Each structure stands twice: as structure tokens, then as C-alpha cells.
Amino acid sequence: MIIGAGLSGIGMGAALRRAGITDFVIFERADDVGGTLARQHLPGDRRRLPVFAYQFSYELKPDWSRFFPKGRR
């Protein structure tokens, strides 16, 4: 059981799958994935961390179109 579908929870699920463990569940109290960082809003509906912080070392995205990700509002 993984509590939270933020970056850490999703990362733990990915690590378990890479280790061959598929019998797990991820619980999230919000309506969508994203964790605490997805619910923090700054002026202009930007996020607090740069976009490259929202990726995993084994799945890099080198061509981000902006430095701070936009929100969902």
C-alpha cells in the first residue's frame, strides 16, 4: 500500500514495478494525482518548483517549454 499519489508515491509505484512487484495499490485523498505540489498555487497559476523537478532520473524530458509548470485552473 502506498499512501499518496504525488511524485514520491508515483515514483515508489514505478520502483516496485521495475522490481517485479505488481501487487500494490496507491491511495490518494484528492480527486487526482499530483500530491501537495499540485495543490499549491502562485500568482499566474504557476507552480513553486521548476518543471525539471517533476520528472524521474530514468524518464527524463529534455525539451520542456517553460521553466515553471502551469497549473490546471
Side-chain angles (χ1 to χ4, degrees):
M1 174 175 41
I2 299 170
I3 307 297
L7 196 62
S8 296
I10 299 296
M12 177 57 74
L16 288 172
R17 289 190 126 187
R18 284 194 318 275
I21 301 168
T22 58
D23 187 19
F24 64 89
V25 63
I26 300 174
F27 290 101
E28 172 59 48
R29 71 177 170 178
D31 293 337
D32 202 357
V33 299
T36 302
L37 293 176
R39 290 182 275 289
Q40 294 177 349
H41 300 284
L42 296 175
D45 199 28
R46 292 179 299 125
R47 298 295 182 231
R48 188 172 307 277
L49 294 177
V51 292
F52 53 81
Y54 292 87
Q55 61 185 344
F56 297 106
S57 62
Y58 53 85
E59 191 70 37
L60 297 176
K61 177 178 173 34
D63 60 343
W64 293 100
S65 62
R66 61 185 71 233
F67 189 76
F68 288 103
K70 289 187 70 160
R72 296 184 199 173
R73 289 186 201 186

